[in-house]
Amino acid sequence: MKRTLIILAALVALGAALTLPYLGAGRFVIVLLTQLAIMVTFAMSYNVNLGQTGLLSFGHAVYLGAGVFSSLYLITAIGAGHVALPLEMVPLGGAFAGFTLAAILGLVSVRRAGVIFAMISLGLAELAVAAAMLFPSVFGGEQGVSTDRMVDFSLTGLGYGRPQEIYMLVLVWAVISVAAMVYLSRTPLGRLANAVRDNPQRVEYLGYAPYWIRYIQFCIAGTFAGLAGSLFALTYEIANASVLGIHMSANVLIATYLGGITYVLGPVVGALMVTLLEINLSRLTEAWLFYYGLLFIAIILFAPRGITGLLVDAPGAFRRAGISGMVTTLARWVPVVGLIGGGTVILVELCYHVSNSFDPREPLTLFWTPVSAQNWAPWITGAVMMVAGLGLFALNRRNAAPRRPQTGDAS
Amino acid sequence: MSILSINGLHKNFGAAKIIQGIDLNIEEGEFHAVIGPNGAGKSTLFNLISGQFSPSAGEVTLHGQRISGLRPYQINRRGLSRSFQVSNIFAQMNVFENLRCALMWSSGVGYCFWRRAARSGDIDARAHALMDEIGLTARGTDMAGNLSYAEQRALEVGMTIAGGASVLLFDEPTAGMNHHEVETFATFLKKIAEGRTVMMVEHDMNVVFSLADRISVLVYGQIIATGKPEDIRADPAVREAYLGADA
Ligand SMILES: Nc1ncnc2c1ncn2[C@@H]1O[C@H](COP(=O)(O)OP(=O)(O)OP(=O)(O)O)[C@@H](O)[C@H]1O
Ligand SMILES: [Mg+2]
């Protein structure tokens, strides 16, 4: 029942995604969807390491970068007639590059999980960035490497010059990748990866070597990261070394975590959210990165299983609480979220306005009202909302989890 | 020939000599109990046999082949499986998945990523049968970390026997259970020991004396006596060193 629902929802989403260009969706929407598809693939590959195998990587973008740069050169080579490969198959090249790099670096990475793996991944990421700086002839320095995807060699006969066409190609590969990774999570290896995540010692007493399980998973993650890199290269036709940097790695970590690392499809939710947030929030406010960070912290603190966890738990929680319970809960928490959220936005926007705007004396628009940052009123309003929200929060906490009365008997 | 034999085994942690020269032969089909006071080195002995540690001196052979120095998974593949004193399960996976992972290798399933687990041989059927055997069928889809203590102990033993190993090591399988649970569990242990070789560390003397064919007494890293239950009960050195308090 639940499963059919999920499959149905996925099919509807896919159908919508496929028909959008023909329904006259604008260029902006198409470009956005393409970016989404790339990010989803990348985040899914990241979670093969993190959620599935318990490997927290700070350098996953290195494998994305392997896919990006190898594909840029591959496309150019196809265009020049040096390689007889249809453009549609370029992602296989990127996947191969990601796989190869992961197969090499994995040898030194996955002997231990936990902090050691995390530190090694960080070190390798720094090395990759340094290497990219050292070889501007390969990585193109500041302006990067570029190519032209209109190579006149394709299976479908499409030229792939228009965003709609490349969108279709990216979408098909993204769907194949996501489906493959979902499938992988259900194979014996996928199950063993979960076991290694939970308890590597026990796995060793069941006849399997945790090292191999981590290594294979790591290679799979690298392969799909490389594939995502290829999609990036096909879409943007240009990249510099920043695609393989720490920032990109942190981004995918955050997206995956926001989505929920314990769910196979959690990264899809996370990637959708982050990409949409990034685009919409950055148009609304200069301080968007700040809010983005706050959201990340809030999720880690209050919903460690991510947005997907909230979505999955919500129906059950509603059913258990009943209408009246739901109303009470909402009455309790909506003011808290509203006050803290509103107060934060007011204070942050005021600060940004004072320190960053062209003329701080100009009024700024806050919640559809023009206010002046030179006045005390908005500052005090923000501070009062914040304090009131935090106070209510503490009060709610206290009521929600009353201290257990001490009972007489020991033990 | 003994199925498991321990020869001149020593283990030091730094200056601490924890295992100080153990010689022991376990015969095929035997139920062998190891008893001894806290800190005597019983778990360390199991860790040495099962590959968690490699010995400082001496060796362990299984079916006549040296297994000391091998990794635990290699020893497991040769037919030796162990349980842990503190439940050592996959907390974030459900009971069924725990058991399925435990019996995959013996079903000939390797690091397979091209076939769904549910389609890999008969592992699903075997996992269900095992779940039934250890009485956890009703808990099949519950997260292992949410099981009660006794249920986790049952799962721990279930995972140990899942692979069909011919030699089983149980480290205090009944630890922390109440009187009633211990009784049920002892019956269960007796059943699974049939046709297998078992070595068991246990503090509950009723369980030890009702199940064991032979008993070894480990004190300060040395075996001070090995023999039939009645001989051990009568041994003056044992009475003094270990049973003294309750004899
Ligand atoms: N990895 C280790 N490093 C250092 N010392 C250890 C290690 N493992 C065990 N020891 C020490 O070896 C001694 C024996 O421990 P062991 O766990 O084998 O005892 P035990 O007989 O199983 O006791 P219990 O009945 O309490 O389970 C203890 O003093 C312990 O501190
Ligand atoms: Mg012990």
Side-chain angles (χ1 to χ4, degrees):
Chain A
M1 177 60 202
K2 203 166 158 192
R3 194 166 164 170
T4 12
L5 263 178
I6 293 176
I7 293 175
L8 216 70
L11 284 178
V12 169
L14 193 61
L18 279 170
T19 44
L20 262 177
Y22 304 106
L23 297 177
R27 195 192 166 85
F28 173 75
V29 176
I30 295 297
V31 170
L32 172 65
L33 285 172
T34 314
Q35 192 185 339
L36 273 178
I38 298 169
M39 196 61 195
V40 162
T41 312
F42 187 39
M44 279 292 288
S45 80
Y46 184 74
N47 210 37
V48 169
N49 278 341
L50 180 58
Q52 305 285 328
T53 321
L55 295 171
L56 171 62
S57 167
F58 290 119
H60 199 52
V62 171
Y63 310 96
L64 180 86
V68 171
F69 285 100
S70 62
S71 301
L72 288 172
Y73 283 110
L74 184 58
I75 296 167
T76 305
I78 295 171
H82 298 319
V83 179
L85 189 78
L87 191 77
E88 287 90 346
M89 293 299 137
V90 165
L92 291 180
F96 181 72
F99 167 78
T100 311
L101 192 63
I104 295 167
L105 300 183
L107 292 174
V108 294
S109 300
V110 301
R111 201 156 285 282
R112 303 284 290 281
V115 177
I116 297 184
F117 173 84
M119 290 304 115
I120 292 177
S121 75
L122 190 61
L124 289 175
E126 292 285 4
L127 271 180
V129 172
M133 302 283 205
L134 272 179
F135 302 107
S137 53
V138 180
F139 295 92
E142 267 304 303
Q143 77 259 47
V145 176
S146 58
T147 186
D148 179 4
R149 69 178 179 234
M150 291 160 76
V151 294
D152 293 331
F153 184 18
S154 71
L155 288 175
T156 54
L158 291 176
Y160 293 109
R162 294 160 57 219
Q164 285 91 321
E165 292 165 350
I166 205 69
Y167 163 67
M168 284 295 174
L169 181 57
V170 167
L171 187 67
V172 167
W173 275 108
V175 168
I176 292 174
S177 307
V178 171
M181 284 182 270
V182 171
Y183 183 85
L184 273 167
S185 72
R186 286 157 203 245
T187 63
L189 179 76
R191 314 279 69 184
L192 286 167
N194 291 170
V196 165
R197 172 197 67 198
D198 282 5
N199 188 345
Q201 188 200 27
R202 188 57 191 242
V203 170
E204 223 179 338
Y205 282 94
L206 301 176
Y208 292 93
Y211 177 78
W212 269 110
I213 296 169
R214 289 198 197 105
Y215 182 72
I216 303 172
Q217 287 284 102
F218 188 79
C219 290
I220 291 172
T223 304
F224 285 104
L227 197 151
S230 249
L231 301 182
F232 184 102
L234 282 166
T235 305
Y236 301 111
E237 302 171 285
I238 185 165
N240 65 18
S242 68
V243 292
L244 51 78
I246 303 286
H247 181 72
M248 202 70 173
S249 295
N251 235 356
V252 72
L253 193 171
I254 292 174
T256 310
Y257 215 104
L258 281 181
I261 61 168
T262 51
Y263 299 93
V264 176
L265 287 173
V268 175
V269 176
L272 294 177
M273 246 202 63
V274 164
T275 312
L276 290 175
L277 263 185
E278 210 174 287
I279 289 173
N280 290 315
L281 216 53
S282 65
R283 286 199 296 184
L284 270 180
T285 164
E286 260 180 90
W288 71 276
L289 258 177
F290 193 89
Y291 297 119
Y292 185 51
L294 283 180
L295 178 71
F296 184 53
I297 294 169
I299 290 280
I300 286 187
L301 284 179
F302 302 112
R305 292 189 304 134
I307 309 278
T308 316
L310 291 178
L311 292 177
V312 168
D313 290 348
F318 286 154
R319 213 174 316 119
R320 252 175 286 123
I323 299 281
S324 63
M326 222 168 85
V327 171
T328 338
T329 313
L330 286 180
R332 254 200 200 147
W333 290 105
V334 166
V336 174
V337 175
L339 284 172
I340 296 183
T344 311
V345 170
I346 291 177
L347 293 179
V348 169
E349 290 301 323
L350 286 170
C351 288
Y352 261 74
H353 187 73
V354 167
S355 61
N356 283 358
S357 73
F358 177 65
D359 180 6
R361 276 162 305 177
E362 284 273 298
L364 76 159
T365 316
L366 260 180
F367 295 113
W368 308 278
T369 357
V371 293
S372 165
Q374 305 311 105
N375 268 346
W376 283 111
W379 292 92
I380 290 173
T381 315
V384 167
M385 281 172 76
M386 194 81 172
V387 170
L390 288 173
L392 260 183
F393 176 74
L395 211 72
N396 278 349
R397 268 277 160 118
R398 192 101 151 260
N399 293 340
R403 257 215 249 133
R404 260 216 261 128
Q406 294 288 318
T407 47
D409 59 8
S411 90
Chain B
M1 187 192 65
S2 309
I3 193 163
L4 183 71
S5 94
I6 300 162
N7 305 312
L9 202 64
H10 286 261
K11 182 66 186 177
N12 312 328
F13 292 113
K17 297 188 164 83
I18 303 300
I19 298 292
Q20 314 184 42
I22 290 184
D23 293 284
L24 188 63
N25 290 309
I26 310 288
E27 305 304 325
E28 184 149 11
E30 176 178 353
F31 197 120
H32 195 106
V34 178
I35 63 174
N38 289 115
K42 305 180 296 293
S43 296
T44 305
L45 175 63
F46 273 19
N47 283 335
L48 288 167
I49 298 172
S50 63
Q52 185 70 36
F53 304 143
S54 52
S56 307
E59 63 164 17
V60 179
T61 65
L62 178 69
H63 304 297
Q65 285 173 320
R66 182 188 158 96
I67 54 170
S68 299
L70 295 182
R71 299 293 310 162
Y73 69 89
Q74 295 168 316
I75 295 175
N76 182 273
R77 289 175 187 180
R78 291 171 186 224
L80 184 145
S81 182
R82 71 167 290 188
S83 76
F84 291 81
Q85 186 169 350
V86 176
S87 293
N88 208 350
I89 55 183
F90 306 122
Q92 305 287 319
M93 292 162 66
N94 69 31
V95 171
F96 174 76
E97 294 282 3
N98 268 268
L99 292 171
R100 194 165 65 170
C101 278
L103 54 74
M104 266 188 325
W105 180 264
S106 65
S107 293
V109 178
Y111 303 93
C112 162
F113 56 83
W114 48 91
R115 211 183 302 120
R116 293 221 330 250
R119 299 267 167 79
S120 304
D122 60 346
I123 59 175
D124 277 23
R126 279 184 63 197
H128 279 296
L130 182 59
M131 205 152 67
D132 217 28
E133 199 180 343
I134 59 174
L136 289 181
T137 301
R139 300 290 253 149
T141 54
D142 290 330
M143 211 76 105
N146 296 340
L147 296 182
S148 76
Y149 185 81
E151 287 169 329
Q152 290 195 2
R153 294 310 292 168
L155 180 59
E156 172 76 35
V157 170
M159 288 169 75
T160 307
I161 63 173
S166 55
V167 180
L168 300 170
L169 312 185
F170 292 120
D171 197 348
E172 302 197 22
T174 70
M177 288 188 178
N178 67 34
H179 190 69
H180 177 71
E181 288 164 345
V182 168
E183 255 173 38
T184 331
F185 214 69
T187 322
F188 174 58
L189 283 175
K190 196 181 179 102
K191 201 177 102 206
I192 55 184
E194 269 165 33
R196 292 184 172 145
T197 309
V198 176
M199 224 176 141
M200 176 180 76
V201 170
E202 181 59 58
H203 276 301
D204 188 312
M205 286 307 138
N206 290 325
V207 176
V208 169
F209 284 105
S210 70
L211 291 181
D213 299 317
R214 282 200 304 159
I215 298 173
S216 288
V217 185
L218 186 65
V219 180
Y220 290 126
Q222 284 175 322
I223 291 189
I224 59 166
T226 294
K228 295 217 155 52
E230 53 272 22
D231 299 338
I232 293 297
R233 217 193 282 266
D235 191 308
V238 175
R239 297 184 83 96
E240 189 186 331
Y242 186 65
L243 295 173
D246 41 274

